[in-house]
Amino acid sequence: MPDFLSFIGEILWGSVMIYLLLGCGVWFTWRTGYVQFRYIRQFGKSLKGSLTPQKGGLTSFQVLCVSLAARVGSGNLAGVAIAITVGGPGAVFWMWVSAFIGMASSFAESSLAQLYKEKDESGQYRGGPAWYMARGLGMRWMGVVFSIFLLLAYGLIFNTVQANSMARALEFAFDTPKLVTGLIAALVIILLITRSLKSIARMMQWVAPLMSLLWVGASLLISLWHAVEVPALLEMIVRSAFGWQEAASGAVGYTISQALTNGFQRGMFSNEAGMGSTPNIAAAASSWPPHPAAQGIVQMIGVFIDTIIICSASAMVVLLSGHDTEIVTHSGIHLIQQSMSLLVGSWGAGFVAFIMVLFALSSIVGNYLYAKNNLYFLRLHTRSNVWILRIVTVLMVLAGSLLSLPVVWQLADVIMALMAITNMTALLLLSPVVRIIARDYLRQRKLGVQPVFTARYYPDIEQQLAPGTWDEPPRE
């Protein structure tokens, strides 16, 4: 089974995903007028008034924090270590590239999720890839396929990845039995996921920034402590990315391939740009200013924070420690702990375990919210089905604490690729709509007015939207 999953994963990532990721990101970078470079200064304006609850949805800041809570997980720690182990230091460079390119894809998918959102029976906004496939493309069947992939990924497999890394980290630092970790984590998760969406969002707007600052702050202090070594380390990352260090050995092609593949693979697993996950929560926001592009910009910044800041923090810990990354083949979380211990002392492993617990638990809660959202699309959101999802989530946390990590990562890679292929196909088909959204937003900014999306200006789009979702509000 592991060999079969590895074979499928290599085909999907080596022959399909790399080109699709690059192509989709470059395409939307061009179609949106280089959105990740031109609109980044609009981030603050898109969060204006975001701490004030909005009618019918979450605030932009709450949605950003929930999406960060879901993004920031084992991929930011164990995933980065695995990428460096397999692809060398150059994998870090390609993770950065995947983030900058992926920001455009994230803008596209989150803007579309905002555009095609609708209200449920309780008045809460719902939306995501399944909705823009159904409304924007008129392909509900495609939305159903995507929802099934997402339920498999976020209701099952990804939770095992998070639980596995958490259990391994606690076992390494404190000799905590994996079963004990699984049982306690399952109890905490069931207490969290039985809360309402708004209640979880209010909690995450505090938890997500705090846990991110703790890890980035620790890495920054270590980098300042070893400031003399940082320039050489950055040079090594760039040289390794293009195989310049290995040119004499004749292994350039293999090294570049490994670095690029693993950098993109782990980068995407971490920031989820183009995968179709974060649009599920992006649609829940009452975007301000009232324009789909505003939420696209907010989620685009989430990709930057996740990969360029948090993943880079992990990479600095591993590379500055001088640890031999080749001695760890799969247990990336152990490599991070060993590296931290070499840098700060024996308490470093325990600190990493604490951070991993925060990352994993918050990510599992975010995964549950994504899965539950797609039950609404499938019209299966009965009380009994929601409880089945909760029970399955808890069981996956328990199982993930005991499963072998290579199998879990291989399953995650395959299902992630299938999700992304489905989502990016829809994104490319809807790229004319993305261009309209981006140009409309930028035009109004250039005129010096608050952007407001007026659906009646675009009759073809207006007839696809849920009634009343984009009624024109008064301008400030």
Side-chain angles (χ1 to χ4, degrees):
M1 184 65 173
D3 291 339
F4 174 75
L5 290 174
S6 178
F7 173 71
I8 296 298
E10 287 178 7
I11 291 177
L12 289 173
W13 281 98
S15 304
V16 179
M17 285 299 298
I18 295 298
Y19 302 106
L20 188 57
L21 280 169
L22 280 169
C24 192
V26 170
W27 175 254
F28 282 113
T29 296
W30 175 67
R31 290 287 280 181
T32 59
Y34 304 93
V35 61
Q36 62 269 59
F37 305 108
R38 296 179 62 185
Y39 289 10
I40 195 167
R41 64 184 183 276
Q42 305 295 339
F43 174 60
K45 294 179 180 179
S46 297
L47 283 178
K48 181 183 177 182
S50 63
L51 298 179
T52 304
Q54 304 289 328
K55 183 179 179 181
L58 307 177
T59 67
S60 295
F61 183 69
Q62 286 175 331
V63 167
L64 174 62
C65 288
V66 173
S67 67
L68 276 175
R71 280 188 177 112
V72 178
S74 62
N76 296 80
L77 297 178
V80 172
I82 290 174
I84 294 173
T85 300
V86 180
V92 178
F93 176 87
W94 295 113
M95 286 179 67
W96 294 339
V97 173
S98 76
F100 278 110
I101 292 177
M103 287 170 73
S105 300
S106 182
F107 171 85
E109 61 184 358
S110 294
S111 297
L112 288 173
Q114 266 288 307
L115 180 66
Y116 291 109
K117 66 186 180 183
E118 59 187 47
K119 286 188 176 181
D120 62 20
E121 60 271 16
S122 64
Q124 172 65 54
Y125 285 125
R126 298 279 178 182
W131 278 263
Y132 56 69
M133 291 170 189
R135 289 189 172 276
L137 295 176
M139 299 179 181
R140 180 173 172 80
W141 65 267
M142 190 179 192
V144 170
V145 171
F146 176 85
S147 292
I148 292 172
F149 283 147
L150 187 141
L151 284 167
L152 289 172
Y154 286 86
L156 299 174
I157 298 171
F158 286 1
N159 291 331
T160 64
V161 173
Q162 305 300 336
N164 193 288
S165 293
M166 178 171 55
R168 283 175 171 262
L170 288 171
E171 182 184 47
F172 184 85
F174 307 111
D175 291 324
T176 306
K178 292 180 180 179
L179 181 58
V180 172
T181 297
L183 289 171
I184 295 175
L187 177 61
V188 173
I189 290 299
I190 197 65
L191 291 175
L192 293 176
I193 63 178
T194 50
R195 300 163 68 96
S196 67
L197 173 60
K198 290 186 177 180
S199 177
I200 293 174
R202 285 194 297 268
M203 177 180 63
M204 290 304 175
Q205 73 181 5
W206 295 99
V207 173
L210 175 62
M211 67 184 191
S212 301
L213 285 172
L214 281 173
W215 182 243
V216 174
S219 176
L220 183 59
L221 288 174
I222 290 171
S223 298
L224 291 174
W225 189 9
H226 296 267
V228 177
E229 302 172 37
V230 171
L233 186 148
L234 295 175
E235 181 184 359
M236 179 179 67
I237 288 173
V238 175
R239 291 176 64 86
S240 180
F242 297 96
W244 295 334
Q245 289 179 321
E246 293 80 10
S249 68
V252 177
Y254 175 78
T255 304
I256 294 176
S257 175
Q258 288 290 86
L260 190 149
T261 300
N262 283 278
F264 266 87
Q265 191 174 13
R266 294 305 160 198
M268 185 182 178
F269 183 85
S270 176
N271 64 51
E272 303 180 6
M275 196 191 305
S277 55
T278 52
N280 288 277
I281 195 65
S286 291
S287 190
W288 193 264
H291 196 287
Q295 188 56 217
I297 292 170
V298 170
Q299 292 304 319
M300 182 178 71
I301 298 301
V303 174
F304 182 91
I305 294 171
D306 176 272
T307 307
I308 302 300
I309 297 179
I310 300 177
C311 284
S312 295
S314 300
M316 294 300 285
V317 170
V318 173
L319 296 175
L320 281 173
S321 72
H323 198 287
D324 185 0
T325 58
E326 294 183 1
I327 69 172
V328 181
T329 55
H330 294 297
S331 187
I333 192 63
H334 289 173
L335 175 56
I336 290 280
Q337 290 178 292
Q338 292 165 348
S339 298
M340 182 64 84
S341 296
L342 286 171
L343 290 166
V344 302
S346 58
W347 64 270
F351 176 74
V352 172
F354 172 70
I355 295 295
M356 186 66 251
V357 169
L358 292 178
F359 281 13
L361 292 177
S362 62
S363 188
I364 292 168
V365 172
N367 292 348
Y368 165 78
L369 291 178
Y370 294 164
K372 182 181 177 182
N373 188 58
N374 281 266
L375 287 181
Y376 277 81
F377 179 80
L378 296 173
R379 298 164 187 161
L380 297 174
H381 57 287
T382 63
R383 183 178 178 83
S384 59
N385 286 338
V386 170
W387 269 103
I388 289 173
L389 176 62
R390 290 169 178 168
I391 292 169
V392 168
T393 299
V394 170
L395 291 176
M396 289 301 101
V397 170
L398 284 169
S401 300
L402 304 172
L403 281 176
S404 119
L405 188 58
V407 173
V408 175
W409 277 109
Q410 288 161 359
L411 281 170
D413 288 341
V414 171
I415 199 68
M416 177 172 60
L418 294 175
M419 266 187 62
I421 290 169
T422 306
N423 182 56
M424 285 190 282
T425 299
L427 288 179
L428 291 171
L429 292 174
L430 287 168
S431 63
V433 179
V434 176
R435 187 184 186 194
I436 288 172
I437 294 172
R439 294 181 68 179
D440 183 74
Y441 182 90
L442 184 60
R443 175 182 59 82
Q444 294 181 66
R445 281 295 185 199
K446 284 183 175 179
L447 292 174
V449 300
Q450 172 189 275
V452 172
F453 183 74
T454 307
R456 58 186 171 85
Y457 292 168
Y458 307 101
D460 290 343
I461 295 177
E462 184 181 25
Q463 66 184 1
Q464 299 172 339
L465 305 180
T469 303
W470 288 103
D471 291 339
E472 184 176 359
R475 294 182 185 269
E476 286 186 346

